[in-house]
Amino acid sequence: MGTGTQYPTRYLGDANPYRKKHVHDTANEKRSCTLHALEWARNAVPFDTLEQAYAAGYAPCLFCLPQEPGAD
Ligand SMILES: [Zn+2]
């Protein structure tokens, strides 16, 4: 699955200041994710691990990280 887009890291945070800070798993991308809509060159923050994303204040995406505590 996925869009075929190549991402720089497995996890990408949404840095759009008008949305909640969510982190997405590019290895489990869903249609409902806003990941494909991220203009990631400008609005995505790459993370190698989820721990790094959480430490930076990001919450897990409900669609691609539903198993994570606090996903929404
Ligand atoms: Zn997602």
Side-chain angles (χ1 to χ4, degrees):
M1 288 296 287
T3 61
T5 304
Q6 293 299 307
Y7 298 109
T9 57
R10 177 166 178 182
Y11 300 104
L12 286 180
D14 183 349
N16 186 325
Y18 300 104
R19 287 196 291 266
K20 183 171 178 178
K21 292 168 75 173
H22 278 127
V23 60
H24 299 271
D25 181 354
T26 63
N28 190 35
E29 184 179 359
K30 305 298 185 196
R31 285 181 185 276
S32 299
C33 281
T34 53
L35 184 56
H36 65 279
L38 283 184
E39 296 180 59
W40 61 264
R42 285 177 293 166
N43 276 337
V45 182
F47 294 107
D48 290 322
T49 67
L50 278 177
E51 286 70 24
Q52 291 174 355
Y54 296 159
Y58 286 83
C61 170
L62 178 63
F63 303 109
C64 57
L65 291 164
Q67 78 281 6
E68 288 294 310
D72 69 6

